Amino acid sequence: MARYLITLDSGVYADNAAAQAAISTAGASVMKSYSFSLTFEVEATPEQLSSISGVKEFIEKTANVAVSLQQLNQDHLLNLAKTSDNTVTMYQPLNNGSGSHVYLVDTGLYGDHEQFTGRNVNYLYSNFGSDFSDNTGHGTAVGSVIIGNTQGVSKDATLHVVKLFNTDNGNISVGEIVDALEEVLAHHQGADPTKAKVVCLPWTTPQNNFIDNKIAEMNASN
């Protein structure tokens, strides 16, 4: 037995109920149903998996991918808050982002930092239980560019913190990434899905079809 993430063909199954019935008929067990279209975590043998009709794609949930966080240009960040004569000042963007929502999938956030005083921060999901602390500073730095008091480009937006990593680089499972994206999509769908929202993913992995397709579905979902 192994845990798989699978997506079934909407041309074969009319809804989740029909898809889950087919999974059960094959002898597999549905462990989780995602907000993504006909996407499930299932427990199955390879034989049971192969007997499920209409599987568009699948991957073992524990399959690892290498992750590298985007390198930040610290000089650029510092210069955002300075004038041409090197005087520190507040960055004043044309718009303040009021009413907008940004999901930051990163290393957490040091919410007590002065950049976030009075700003709108929602701690949405952590891959580490209730721990949203930022051990590397990456999420805090990116978050400050988004809503920071002196250098934020959208100071009045709401920043939804999704902590996925604890280090600058290393390996993470596809399942952990998809679970984090699921939390973002589910929150978006429950909070006026007609309003476009922003998802910030400041990191890279080797190309992965399953992850790519979930991000494409998020784009299509506004």
Side-chain angles (χ1 to χ4, degrees):
M1 286 282 191
R3 295 285 182 96
Y4 297 93
L5 299 178
I6 67 172
T7 298
L8 302 185
D9 190 344
S10 59
V12 177
Y13 301 103
D15 53 31
N16 268 21
Q20 292 192 54
I23 294 170
S24 297
T25 298
S29 299
V30 176
M31 309 307 294
K32 182 176 182 177
S33 176
Y34 288 84
S35 300
F36 295 102
S37 177
L38 297 182
T39 298
F40 307 93
E41 175 188 341
V42 301
E43 188 173 69
T45 64
E47 294 76 21
Q48 290 169 337
L49 182 65
S50 64
S51 66
I52 302 171
S53 300
V55 176
K56 289 178 61 177
E57 58 181 347
F58 72 91
I59 192 169
E60 283 200 43
K61 187 173 185 182
T62 57
N64 280 335
V65 292
V67 172
S68 296
L69 301 187
Q70 181 182 5
Q71 290 189 339
L72 301 175
N73 186 327
Q74 297 297 332
D75 291 337
H76 176 67
L77 294 180
L78 292 173
N79 288 335
L80 279 175
K82 295 180 180 180
T83 62
S84 58
D85 63 356
N86 214 37
T87 302
V88 176
T89 185
M90 290 189 67
Y91 174 53
Q92 298 291 342
L94 181 62
N95 299 300
N96 60 14
S98 180
S100 297
H101 295 264
V102 181
Y103 300 91
L104 175 59
V105 184
D106 207 312
T107 59
L109 193 80
Y110 176 43
D112 289 336
H113 194 285
E114 60 187 9
Q115 285 292 325
F116 306 111
T117 301
R119 304 276 64 88
N120 303 314
V121 178
N122 173 41
Y123 296 92
L124 178 63
Y125 172 79
S126 174
N127 192 32
F128 306 92
S130 59
D131 177 19
F132 287 90
S133 59
D134 185 5
N135 297 323
T136 73
H138 193 275
T140 299
V142 176
S144 71
V145 175
I146 299 171
I147 64 167
N149 280 317
T150 59
Q151 59 193 27
V153 296
S154 298
K155 294 180 175 65
D156 289 341
T158 297
L159 185 71
H160 301 279
V161 180
V162 178
K163 180 177 178 177
L164 184 53
F165 313 109
N166 249 336
T167 58
D168 287 338
N169 53 62
N171 292 329
I172 192 169
S173 71
V174 173
E176 289 173 287
I177 293 175
V178 174
D179 281 349
L181 298 181
E182 158 69 11
E183 293 297 324
V184 172
L185 181 60
H187 187 272
H188 161 68
Q189 291 176 341
D192 190 6
T194 65
K195 181 177 177 57
K197 303 181 184 72
V198 177
V199 183
C200 182
L201 308 173
W203 39 270
T204 62
T205 70
Q207 192 276 329
N208 182 281
N209 285 341
F210 204 95
I211 296 172
D212 285 352
N213 290 336
K214 297 313 165 198
I215 292 175
E217 187 172 338
M218 293 173 75
N219 287 338
S221 298
N222 212 23

